[in-house]
Amino acid sequence: PGDLKATFHNVEHHKSHVASAFFVSGFEEAACLSIDGFGDFASTMRAVGRDRTIEVLDRVEFPHSAGLYYTAITQFLGFPKYGEEWKMMGLAPYGKPAYVEQLRRVIAPAKGGKFRLNLDYFVHHSEGVEMTWDEGTPQLGRVWSKKLEELLGPARDPEDPDFFGKWADIAHSAQVVYEEIFFHVVGGLYARTKIPRLALAGGCALN
């Protein structure tokens, strides 16, 4: 409306995540991590919160994303709808770490507590990913490349009633590798700040 007198402030995606965690934490000082898919072309932000300020230390930027890795394996497991990562997270405890070595080829730690995707297994950077709305529900196009089937075998058919066996093993292995990356990022943040208090935000902080 034309009579609205509010002042608008544009806040970077991951800064808003960090603020949502740190400013309600009760900490006077904390190491801060926001990690998810993408927002404003970054997937991860590390920062330090002090009193009422946030100092950004670094970012992991497009096309590298732990959230996109998690989404890719979720889709591969036959859960194609936007936001179904919780299904892979729930399936993971029923499996075994049978595919850890394979999945370490898909995402790997990098210097300084960062990480990199092996882009051969993804299409988001080269072909783009379509997002559409179906009766108010977002639909995300496939983010993984056919090379992932060369690594893990054919993807699960979403109509397949079997969730366990191989599929639980892939989910478990994907979770193991994700947690390796996550704690590499957190460890790098601690090495840099030496602050023993951590404020976490972003979708991957849940995973």
Side-chain angles (χ1 to χ4, degrees):
D3 59 352
L4 185 63
K5 295 181 174 59
T7 300
F8 289 87
H9 300 274
N10 293 317
V11 180
E12 184 183 351
H13 178 92
H14 286 282
K15 274 190 177 180
S16 67
H17 270 319
V18 166
S20 76
F22 174 65
F23 289 139
V24 299
S25 68
F27 298 143
E28 292 184 5
E29 180 184 64
C32 303
L33 172 63
S34 171
I35 180 167
D36 62 16
F38 286 113
D40 293 324
F41 298 98
S43 70
T44 303
M45 176 182 285
R46 295 189 294 186
V48 173
R50 292 187 181 92
D51 192 21
R52 285 181 267 180
T53 66
I54 292 171
E55 176 194 358
V56 176
L57 301 178
D58 59 17
R59 298 169 177 82
V60 176
E61 297 180 334
F62 183 91
H64 303 287
S65 167
L68 202 78
Y69 158 81
Y70 212 91
T71 294
I73 307 304
T74 298
Q75 292 181 344
F76 187 87
L77 289 172
F79 307 125
K81 293 182 180 179
Y82 185 78
E84 289 195 302
E85 287 81 2
W86 63 273
K87 293 183 179 180
M88 186 177 93
M89 191 166 59
L91 182 60
Y94 294 95
K96 299 176 182 178
Y99 294 87
V100 167
E101 291 306 317
Q102 291 93 322
L103 288 168
R104 283 176 179 155
R105 302 178 203 170
V106 178
I107 187 170
K111 290 182 179 179
K114 294 187 176 183
F115 58 87
R116 295 183 65 81
L117 298 177
N118 182 337
L119 296 174
D120 291 344
Y121 295 101
F122 298 88
V123 299
H124 66 289
H125 62 294
S126 57
E127 301 176 19
V129 177
E130 183 179 6
M131 177 175 274
T132 58
W133 293 84
D134 180 18
E135 298 180 358
T137 302
Q139 303 290 324
L140 186 66
R142 196 187 80 211
V143 302
W144 53 274
S145 78
K146 287 294 186 180
K147 190 173 176 65
L148 193 60
E149 290 191 312
E150 297 176 18
L151 185 69
L152 300 174
R156 177 179 166 270
D157 184 335
E159 302 301 319
D160 184 350
D162 182 17
F163 296 100
F164 298 101
K166 173 183 178 178
W167 311 118
D169 290 349
I170 291 175
H172 183 101
S173 302
Q175 186 71 34
V176 168
V177 173
Y178 169 74
E179 291 180 16
E180 290 175 350
I181 295 298
F182 182 86
F183 286 109
H184 174 73
V185 173
V186 171
L189 177 58
Y190 178 73
R192 189 166 176 178
T193 66
K194 301 301 183 185
I195 299 172
R197 293 166 297 279
L198 180 63
L200 289 174
C204 286
L206 171 67
N207 302 126

